[in-house]
Amino acid sequence: MSSNRKLRALALALMALAATLVLAACGDDDGVGGGTDDEVPVAQGGTASGEVLISNWPGYVDPGANGTIAEFEQQSGVQTEYKEDVNDNVVFFNKLKPQLDQGDSGGRSLFVVTDWMAKRMYDLGYLQEINHADLPTVFENILPQFEESTTDPERKFSIPWQGGQTGIFVDTTEAPEIESVSDLFDPKYKGKVTMLTEMRDTVTLILQSEGINPDEATKEDWLAAIDKLREARDSGQIRRFTGNEYTEDLTSGNIVAAIGWSGDSSLIGREGVEWRRPTDGCDLFFDQAVIPIGAPNTAAALEFLNFAYTPENAADITEYVQYVTPVEGVQEILAQRDPKLANDPLIFPSEAEIADCSEDPDPPGSAEEVAEVDEAFQEVVSG
Amino acid sequence: MKKSARSAAALRRRLVPYVLLAPGAIWLTLFFVIPMYFMAEMSLRSGVPNTPEGFTFSWEFSNYAEALAGRGEQILRTFYYAGTATIIALLIAYPLAYAIALKVNPRWRLPLLFAVIAPFFTTYLIRTIAWETILYDESPIVDVLKVLTLVPENGRVLDTGGAVIAGLTYNFLPFMVLPIYASLERVDTSLIEAGKDLYASARQTFLRVTLPLTMPGVVAGVLLTFIPAYGDYINAEFLGGANNTMIGNKIQSTYLEESNYPEAAALSFLMMAAVVIVVLVYIRLAGTEAFVGSEDEA
Amino acid sequence: MESATATARASITATPSRAWSWLRRNALSIYAGLAVAYVLIPIAVIAVFSFADASANRDRLVFAINDGFTLKYWESAFSVPDLNNAMLTSIELAAVTTTIATAIGTLMAIALVRYRYFGRKTSNLLIILPMATPEIVIGAALLSMFLIYTVPLGFTSLLLAHVMFSISFVVVVVRSRLIGFDRSIEDAAADLGATPVETFRYVTLPLLAPAVIAGALLAFALSIDDFIISDFNHGTLETFPLYVFGAHLRGVPVQVNVLATMLFTLTVIAIILVLWQQRRADRMVAVRPEQEV
């Protein structure tokens, strides 16, 4: 019986080994977790019909039966499914990445991510290029300052959706004197401050508050700023790092100040909380609509962009969302509907105001060095 | 004729365990073991995150060392949170299970049991968010706690380690109650009676009769509570502050924020190893019979 | 006369100690009541906040009830299509998962406890490992495999994942009851001429039922609850927790609380019905005259 057992054990081990080898042979051995090196496809235009799936950030389009999506459906006849499942650039990226590696976009024809993420996706071969000829309305109405961008100079793969500034929210009833990012490190507010989990927002502002231009900062500068952040965390200065949830902390009075995004004011249900542009820094972000590889019905996606760039529709969107619009003519339209909005410098910033703002820059250096900075930051944010 | 029928029956009998086991074993192999193989393979790859080349296999054992670097404090913290939550859960659950199984009117047993499990049917996230709602700084409950001086006047409950532990305890309480209840329920009450007849005090009866009889349930409950609590990151994310992160948070961020799959995979395996060690030690202490049971059953 | 006063005096001094002994006798039951109340606190909070008026906050949940109460979210409970779909998906998924996982798990538990066979230690390990693995690892590992073998991401992939992690829990729960199970009852049945299958069906299984039900409940709850593993393997199919997590970042619609309260209430009602049915069945069995076996 014993030798029988040993024989069986040996058989089992051999089977396991054989299975392992078979699996190893089946699997894709090189470049897992990387991108694709294939030639970049160009999105097909044409008449829009059928169905389309769009992913976007929550609260980034005016909803309801009179909303932009419903109107688009009526006008174009395209059945539009609109998902608000982009809650965080990196989370969305990682969720979709394995599918994008296989050339599958999960059924999405269009989604919206922040400019630096759009660039990363493009570099990894996950996006299709866009033919300007397919987007007549877009390029007719796009504001001149958005015709190019640092991340996509020729607008090959990204079309601006909405954007804004990263700054500080302050509870003016509790801490009206907070005006700069440096103020957030004041021990007077220990445990009453939150910062963003978005590295390109938080660290950029810290660099600026130290007098360093983030577009010219060295890797050491970034790491030093992250060290400062770590100290603040260890001492309990920073209560927690958040995505959009800082709006809850502000609403419930858990904190008196937070680094946050300019258009989120409407999400804060507490009187006296206002967004301020820090006196020692300025950071812009702009979210981009992109067409992924494997996108079905790209014609409909392109048509949707054209639709969204019609000044009337763009005004609808901006009126609800209250972020910066890339479309010309919106300010005039809103001047009729709601003059307060039309004069809001957060929604319609002047050239001068945003001239020396950074635009969510990447850390400098090779991919490896960027990963090093990213890792250091993540270590602070999630232990 | 009789002989072949008997040996046919004997063969069938020997096959029975395999037949019973087969569906589960196949399912677990296909959807647990094999993916683990892929994860193990991933942990030995090297490369830079977010580059077109991706990660290639290269027996990169240094991933494990790198994954472990600087994690010491967080690992200890995780053990502390999960361990404390488990102990508190045990202290809460055992008397509760005892009351339901042995004290209350039998017709109330199942209803009470379901009352304990019912919160599960509102989903984990909502329950945790509810606690976030209950424990925010200006909530009346926190005010009451301050009056009772359980919380310092200028302190807070939310975004602290205490809140994380409270969340873990609450969320995994049913995991502790159910197994203990299951084993309490089949305790032969006549044994407890016998203890009383032999002049044992209630306490002695409990310690010498009831508790040992219910050890399998206790062991199961402890493990079912500790292990998921150890790997959890939701409670830390919703209820904890910047300094209350657990290993699960680190794995989540290494995977989903940094996209550093090999290091995330390595850290995950290390985490698994730590838990398996703890479990094995615990089983050794509690006695293999208590958990694996039945060497004498078959 | 003396004895009367003595009795009277004794009864007066006895009253506080009688109250005290009542307290001691029922301490455990009182404790149980308190513990159950504690368990239900968040449910109460969820229910209460489903009536909170959040119009000032884009109908998103607020932390404090400043604007009073309203029934409007109950009236429009199903007006958030994404939420409805997510909830239906979760329930469907949990139901199917529970059925499969409970069956598989119970069979496994029986094999593990009652039989000696080759590979027993290995199968023991196989049960423990999924429980010792962080959900995030399971989720990510599963996804990699699903993609390489092009399993469609959606209900199928979620089902495969959910059953997988539920099996172990069912096994552990059923096993803890099987250990030390009084076999003599089964022996008696065998002596009375029952085949193994009959014994299992009419003797073992009913006695095992509480543990099996507990296991099934656990599987259902785990499936509805699951977030992390689902997050990796759901493609574009949203379950209830996935919806809530996404919505939470920008404010959860109050209808989420409404639906959660509904789900809870319906579950409670379903359980009450099941219990009532069982009690009726028990009573009927008690009344029925003894039958020939």
Side-chain angles (χ1 to χ4, degrees):
Chain A
M1 188 56 179
S2 170
S3 62
N4 213 343
R5 252 191 177 174
K6 278 191 191 155
L7 211 61
R8 276 198 230 159
L10 188 60
L12 208 68
L14 279 175
M15 281 196 302
L17 187 62
T20 314
L21 290 172
V22 165
L23 285 172
C26 282
D28 181 7
D29 201 45
D30 19 49
V32 172
T36 51
D37 278 332
D38 308 333
E39 195 182 303
V40 181
V42 178
Q44 298 279 338
T47 25
S49 62
E51 304 172 343
V52 79
L53 172 61
I54 298 174
S55 281
N56 203 345
W57 299 78
Y60 239 7
V61 86
D62 52 323
N66 297 326
T68 301
I69 305 293
E71 280 179 14
F72 174 67
E73 273 188 322
Q74 270 175 9
Q75 187 178 309
S76 64
V78 174
Q79 225 187 347
T80 311
E81 195 183 340
Y82 183 83
K83 277 199 169 309
E84 294 184 324
D85 57 355
V86 184
N87 292 296
D88 179 273
N89 282 307
V90 182
V91 171
F92 185 71
F93 170 71
N94 276 289
K95 206 165 58 167
L96 220 47
K97 190 181 188 335
Q99 291 171 279
L100 289 171
D101 276 331
Q102 308 282 323
D104 170 24
S105 70
R108 296 172 180 80
S109 304
L110 188 80
F111 55 75
V112 176
V113 289
T114 313
D115 37 23
W116 59 269
M117 177 53 81
K119 176 166 187 307
R120 178 197 282 185
M121 286 181 155
Y122 179 71
D123 288 339
L124 288 172
Y126 294 150
L127 303 180
Q128 300 194 35
E129 286 184 353
I130 300 177
N131 205 333
H132 288 208
D134 288 322
L135 293 173
T137 325
V138 171
F139 286 99
E140 193 185 310
N141 294 328
I142 192 170
L143 284 167
Q145 61 260 42
F146 296 111
E147 270 172 11
E148 305 173 344
S149 84
T150 26
T151 50
D152 186 9
E154 292 164 44
R155 289 263 165 247
K156 273 200 266 191
F157 55 87
S158 61
I159 303 295
W161 179 261
Q162 297 269 300
Q165 292 185 50
T166 315
I168 40 184
F169 278 98
V170 177
D171 187 343
T172 54
T173 56
E174 297 281 330
E177 29 344 311
I178 297 182
E179 284 181 340
S180 66
V181 172
S182 310
D183 285 341
L184 295 176
F185 288 90
D186 190 336
K188 209 175 11 166
Y189 311 112
K190 181 180 286 218
K192 293 257 168 207
V193 167
T194 64
M195 297 199 178
L196 292 173
T197 52
E198 193 68 78
M199 174 175 73
R200 290 161 181 79
D201 289 316
T202 302
V203 181
T204 302
L205 285 176
I206 295 180
L207 284 169
Q208 289 170 338
S209 74
E210 303 270 293
I212 305 173
N213 184 347
D215 297 313
E216 294 165 11
T218 63
K219 184 180 77 171
E220 286 68 35
D221 290 329
W222 280 77
L223 292 174
I226 293 173
D227 274 336
K228 179 173 176 185
L229 198 62
R230 181 181 306 116
E231 274 170 29
R233 179 201 72 176
D234 287 340
S235 71
Q237 178 74 18
I238 300 175
R239 179 164 171 151
R240 62 177 183 150
F241 293 95
T242 68
N244 290 100
E245 316 89 87
Y246 63 83
T247 52
E248 285 175 11
D249 282 325
L250 285 166
T251 308
S252 61
N254 290 344
I255 55 175
V256 301
I259 295 185
W261 294 302
S262 54
D264 278 350
S265 302
S266 55
L267 296 173
I268 299 174
R270 194 178 184 88
E271 293 283 326
V273 178
E274 66 178 35
W275 187 89
R276 290 181 179 171
R277 182 176 141 162
T279 51
D280 55 0
C282 170
D283 181 48
L284 296 176
F285 68 89
F286 226 93
D287 291 319
Q288 311 285 333
V290 295
I291 297 185
I293 50 174
N297 205 350
T298 50
L302 293 166
E303 197 51 45
F304 178 73
L305 287 173
N306 280 321
F307 186 81
Y309 266 70
T310 318
E312 275 290 327
N313 299 323
D316 288 339
I317 297 176
T318 305
E319 192 178 359
Y320 180 83
V321 173
Q322 299 193 6
Y323 272 98
V324 176
T325 179
V327 178
E328 198 163 6
V330 171
Q331 194 170 19
E332 289 74 26
I333 295 178
L334 284 186
Q336 310 281 327
R337 298 188 199 173
D338 188 347
K340 205 174 72 153
L341 279 182
N343 294 323
D344 189 341
L346 290 181
I347 304 181
F348 299 102
S350 69
E351 277 291 323
E353 276 173 345
I354 57 174
D356 15 89
C357 289
S358 296
E359 279 179 49
D360 267 3
D362 281 335
S366 64
E368 207 166 331
E369 290 174 305
V370 173
E372 191 186 330
V373 173
D374 199 16
E375 190 174 344
F377 180 74
Q378 290 307 324
E379 202 262 314
V380 174
V381 162
S382 60
Chain B
M1 191 66 149
K2 238 192 240 173
K3 192 169 173 202
S4 63
R6 213 186 301 143
S7 59
L11 183 64
R12 245 184 294 136
R13 222 178 307 130
R14 275 191 44 206
L15 284 179
V16 166
Y18 296 104
V19 168
L20 290 176
L21 213 48
I26 294 175
W27 201 292
L28 284 172
T29 308
L30 280 181
F31 303 114
F32 178 75
V33 177
I34 293 183
M36 285 301 131
Y37 160 78
F38 284 120
M39 180 107 314
E41 202 245 25
M42 176 67 83
S43 72
L44 295 175
R45 288 181 179 239
S46 61
V48 179
N50 296 321
T51 54
E53 304 80 43
F55 301 106
T56 46
F57 190 80
S58 62
W59 296 103
E60 191 82 25
F61 285 101
S62 65
N63 284 331
Y64 283 84
E66 271 175 41
L68 218 43
R71 299 281 113 239
E73 187 186 333
Q74 192 178 46
I75 293 177
L76 286 176
R77 196 189 308 141
T78 310
F79 269 110
Y80 168 60
Y81 288 170
T84 314
T86 306
I87 294 174
I88 299 178
L90 181 59
L91 292 174
I92 296 180
Y94 200 106
L96 179 58
Y98 192 96
I100 298 178
L102 296 173
K103 276 284 177 187
V104 300
N105 194 322
R107 52 208 329 252
W108 286 113
R109 267 191 213 153
L110 281 181
L112 276 179
L113 210 55
F114 291 136
V116 170
I117 308 172
F120 254 65
F121 298 102
T122 55
T123 79
Y124 193 25
L125 278 181
I126 293 218
R127 293 200 302 277
T128 316
I129 294 176
W131 277 113
E132 209 185 348
T133 313
I134 296 172
L135 296 175
Y136 77 95
D137 287 4
E138 293 179 1
S139 88
I141 302 220
V142 174
D143 288 338
V144 166
L145 289 175
K146 283 187 180 170
V147 163
L148 295 174
T149 63
L150 288 168
V151 173
E153 186 53 46
N154 61 343
R156 62 175 192 245
V157 178
L158 198 56
D159 299 327
T160 62
V164 178
I165 294 176
L168 287 169
T169 309
Y170 177 82
N171 275 315
F172 294 109
L173 192 61
F175 285 73
M176 184 69 85
V177 171
L178 286 181
I180 295 181
Y181 170 81
S183 70
L184 267 171
E185 207 239 350
R186 71 157 174 71
V187 159
D188 192 351
T189 45
S190 60
L191 291 171
I192 303 181
E193 294 283 325
K196 292 208 184 112
D197 288 341
L198 292 169
Y199 300 110
S201 69
R203 202 166 127 252
Q204 281 175 318
T205 317
F206 176 72
L207 285 175
R208 296 268 184 95
V209 180
T210 323
L211 191 55
L213 282 175
T214 56
M215 268 321 256
V218 171
V219 171
V222 166
L223 292 176
L224 277 177
T225 305
F226 179 77
I227 293 173
Y230 181 73
D232 183 73
Y233 68 87
I234 299 284
N235 282 287
E237 187 161 331
F238 281 84
L239 301 171
N243 284 315
N244 307 118
T245 55
M246 299 169 69
I247 277 283
N249 296 91
K250 182 62 185 172
I251 293 180
Q252 191 250 12
S253 90
T254 309
Y255 203 98
L256 292 185
E257 301 281 336
E258 281 179 65
S259 305
N260 193 343
Y261 305 144
E263 199 172 306
L267 189 56
S268 311
F269 270 114
L270 287 172
M271 216 187 123
M272 268 170 65
V275 173
V276 168
I277 292 174
V278 167
V279 168
L280 289 176
V281 166
Y282 182 74
I283 291 177
R284 184 61 60 89
L285 289 178
T288 24
E289 292 151 7
F291 185 65
V292 172
S294 36
E295 285 300 328
D296 31 70
E297 267 286 348
Chain C
M1 191 107 109
E2 242 179 5
S3 59
T5 29
T7 333
R9 204 180 298 143
S11 65
I12 293 171
T13 47
T15 320
S17 68
R18 212 188 305 154
W20 182 240
S21 72
W22 178 89
L23 205 64
R24 270 177 61 192
R25 247 182 300 128
N26 290 304
L28 213 50
S29 308
I30 296 174
Y31 169 78
L34 286 175
V36 170
Y38 160 69
V39 165
L40 295 175
I41 288 177
I43 315 295
V45 168
I46 294 168
V48 165
F49 276 84
S50 70
F51 296 102
D53 191 341
S55 328
N57 201 31
R58 282 196 190 169
D59 292 330
R60 307 265 147 171
L61 202 57
V62 291
F63 272 175
I65 304 186
N66 294 321
D67 297 328
F69 294 91
T70 172
L71 281 176
K72 75 170 180 184
Y73 301 110
W74 279 87
E75 287 162 8
S76 64
F78 301 109
S79 62
V80 184
D82 282 344
L83 174 57
N84 297 338
N85 294 335
M87 181 60 99
L88 284 172
T89 308
S90 277
I91 294 176
E92 209 183 316
L93 186 60
V96 182
T97 302
T98 304
T99 317
I100 302 178
T102 311
I104 294 182
T106 308
L107 293 178
M108 271 194 115
I110 294 172
L112 279 166
V113 172
R114 292 197 167 175
Y115 293 89
R116 256 202 193 117
Y117 56 89
F118 174 68
R120 186 193 208 175
K121 292 228 172 82
T122 320
S123 43
N124 241 336
L125 197 60
L126 194 59
I127 303 285
I128 299 179
L129 280 180
M131 294 191 290
T133 311
E135 292 206 335
I136 192 163
V137 173
I138 298 181
L142 270 173
L143 181 62
S144 324
M145 191 186 76
F146 283 150
L147 290 172
I148 291 182
Y149 293 116
T150 53
V151 175
L153 287 180
F155 197 86
T156 319
S157 57
L158 283 178
L159 180 64
L160 295 173
H162 281 216
V163 171
M164 183 275 291
F165 68 68
S166 301
I167 293 178
S168 306
F169 288 95
V170 174
V171 169
V172 168
V173 170
V174 174
R175 179 156 69 182
S176 74
R177 178 160 171 99
L178 267 175
I179 295 174
F181 190 94
D182 190 359
R183 302 296 296 269
S184 61
I185 302 181
E186 294 175 330
D187 294 338
D191 287 344
L192 290 168
T195 68
V197 176
E198 281 176 344
T199 315
F200 180 73
R201 228 180 109 195
Y202 295 112
V203 180
T204 320
L205 203 49
L207 286 171
L208 209 51
V212 173
I213 294 178
L217 277 177
L218 202 54
F220 190 85
L222 285 174
S223 172
I224 284 222
D225 252 26
D226 183 69
F227 170 69
I228 301 171
I229 298 182
S230 302
D231 196 19
F232 279 86
N233 295 290
H234 69 114
T236 46
L237 185 70
E238 295 275 297
T239 64
F240 186 48
L242 287 169
Y243 175 86
V244 171
F245 185 76
H248 172 257
L249 293 176
R250 285 203 162 242
V252 171
V254 186
Q255 280 90 343
V256 164
N257 276 31
V258 173
L259 288 194
T261 313
M262 273 189 197
L263 180 63
F264 174 77
T265 316
L266 285 174
T267 316
V268 168
I269 292 177
I271 290 174
I272 292 178
L273 281 175
V274 165
L275 286 178
W276 183 61
Q277 263 301 87
Q278 196 181 34
R279 217 162 270 176
R280 275 185 66 210
D282 287 340
R283 239 178 289 140
M284 280 170 62
V285 168
V287 169
R288 206 184 299 143
E290 291 279 315
Q291 287 187 334
E292 289 282 321
V293 172

